[in-house]
Amino acid sequence: MALLKDYYDQYHRGRLMREEQMDLGPLKLRSHGASNAAMSYDERYTPYILRTGLLPFIHMVTRSTLWLNAPAITALVDRWRPEMHTFHLRTGEMTVTLQDVSMILALPIGGEPVCINTSSSGWREQMAALIGRALEDRANDRVPAGATYTWIVENFAQCPEGVDDEVVQQYARVYVWYVITRTLFADGGGRTAQWHWLKALTVWDANWSWGTAALAYLYRQLDDACRRSKTDSGIGGPLLLLSVWSWDRFLVGRPILLTYNDWDDHGDPLRRSTWAYKWDVIKDNWSDTALLYKQYTNELDTLTLEQV
């Protein structure tokens, strides 16, 4: 295949398993849920989140967290080609598109690109200006620019009653920061909310195309993950997007759909269910992950057009 580059093939999981007979296991999923009780949603946040275009997504991931199938996701990663940003299958090439992002996650795909300066110079002072407080600057502190989720929950779990509008905005900003860094832009560590995503929430009416940023981040995660072969290797990013996209197109790794949970949208069109709600109540597969990984790999290797 002339279009495939040796640079990517050298460490590609597919080549390592096929030609070097390496026995690789499923990747660890670095994406996290946001529907636990650690951070309480407050209706006072709604007017501000609405202005970012993130309200439908925020309501979706904070009301329910879907089960993510690591073996099935890894079997797809093994077929990802960074040169093309597509999955190479027996039936042809397929990929996640902006339309999928809009239909599944309800993220805005119009507007300005999410362009922010990722410099961490003076980040503590800027954080304090945005949310009223910041982590202490300790000697020899090697914590990356940002805040641990533990610190966020300890300081911003619930917005106090009777506070002024400025404080409500600070709590709303932290809430969005907490959610998007756990679900859309999760990194390899999984413990820290990176500072630059909070900086992107400086202005509520920035008109960012969050869907474009999420898709680009997923592509980058796939570009890296398809060349990871260590036992603790993982993948982050919007894996909910990839999972629902896969379930809608393949039988491979698809969970059993039990029922549809008719979420109350309170008559608000911005709270209506997205395509991901179709898979809200499913039966999990708790079989051996190594065995499932081999099974899904074989099923993708024998995929036919009628099965897509």
Side-chain angles (χ1 to χ4, degrees):
M1 301 179 68
L3 291 177
L4 307 186
K5 298 181 180 179
D6 292 339
Y7 170 78
Y8 294 114
D9 262 341
Q10 184 178 5
Y11 299 106
H12 199 285
R13 291 175 58 90
R15 191 195 70 82
L16 293 177
M17 289 188 291
R18 182 183 67 252
E19 298 184 8
E20 303 203 11
Q21 303 299 309
M22 288 186 65
D23 187 18
L24 302 181
L27 295 165
K28 299 183 183 301
L29 306 186
R30 307 299 186 188
S31 187
H32 312 282
S35 60
N36 53 44
M39 293 286 286
S40 300
Y41 185 82
D42 194 308
E43 284 296 337
R44 289 175 290 176
Y45 303 161
T46 300
Y48 304 106
I49 300 177
L50 177 64
R51 290 160 61 183
T52 66
L54 290 169
L55 186 62
F57 172 77
I58 293 292
H59 273 283
M60 180 185 69
V61 296
T62 56
R63 290 190 295 186
S64 176
T65 300
L66 295 176
W67 169 72
L68 301 180
N69 189 330
I73 289 175
T74 306
L76 271 177
V77 171
D78 294 342
R79 286 150 182 80
W80 180 258
R81 295 306 310 194
E83 311 95 321
M84 310 297 292
H85 286 150
T86 56
F87 297 105
H88 281 210
L89 308 169
R90 286 191 70 241
T91 54
E93 297 180 48
M94 297 179 67
T95 195
V96 186
T97 67
L98 273 178
Q99 183 183 43
D100 297 314
V101 175
S102 179
M103 294 291 290
I104 295 171
L105 300 184
L107 290 171
I109 59 175
E112 298 295 323
V114 183
C115 295
I116 47 180
N117 186 350
T118 58
S119 171
S120 60
S121 177
W123 67 272
R124 285 185 171 85
E125 293 77 12
Q126 296 179 64
M127 180 183 291
L130 282 175
I131 63 175
R133 68 192 78 176
L135 275 75
E136 297 179 4
D137 187 3
R138 301 172 183 172
N140 300 320
D141 188 357
R142 303 188 65 179
V143 174
T148 63
Y149 293 118
T150 301
W151 182 88
I152 291 175
V153 171
E154 288 175 351
N155 290 275
F156 293 93
Q158 191 166 6
C159 186
E161 295 294 332
V163 295
D164 59 29
D165 183 67
E166 181 180 355
V167 175
V168 172
Q169 290 192 52
Q170 291 173 351
Y171 274 76
R173 193 172 277 117
V174 173
Y175 188 85
V176 176
W177 182 36
Y178 174 87
V179 172
I180 66 174
T181 54
R182 289 176 64 86
T183 57
L184 289 180
F185 307 112
D187 62 10
R191 297 177 58 251
T192 303
Q194 295 180 335
W195 147 247
H196 55 264
W197 296 115
L198 175 62
K199 187 160 58 173
L201 300 168
T202 302
V203 179
W204 294 113
D205 297 305
N207 192 31
W208 295 127
S209 176
W210 288 102
T212 306
L215 184 61
Y217 197 84
L218 175 62
Y219 282 2
R220 182 165 184 174
Q221 287 291 318
L222 288 167
D223 289 348
D224 292 338
C226 72
R227 292 177 287 154
R228 292 174 178 159
S229 56
K230 295 182 179 179
T231 55
D232 61 345
S233 295
I235 179 174
L239 299 181
L240 170 62
L241 169 64
L242 181 60
S243 294
V244 174
W245 177 87
S246 173
W247 296 342
D248 281 334
R249 285 156 179 80
F250 313 116
L251 288 173
V252 180
R254 180 185 293 175
I256 299 174
L257 183 63
L258 298 179
T259 185
Y260 174 75
N261 194 342
D262 188 15
W263 291 101
D264 185 3
D265 61 15
H266 302 281
D268 186 346
L270 289 176
R271 296 172 185 252
R272 288 177 184 165
S273 303
T274 71
W275 196 250
Y277 281 84
K278 174 185 175 183
W279 303 97
D280 186 56
V281 184
I282 57 178
K283 181 179 180 181
D284 300 345
N285 190 334
W286 297 110
S287 300
D288 180 77
T289 56
L291 181 62
L292 280 177
Y293 178 43
K294 293 180 180 179
Q295 174 185 328
Y296 297 149
T297 297
N298 292 334
E299 290 177 359
L300 285 175
D301 283 343
T302 56
L303 197 66
T304 64
L305 286 172
E306 292 75 17
Q307 296 173 318
V308 178

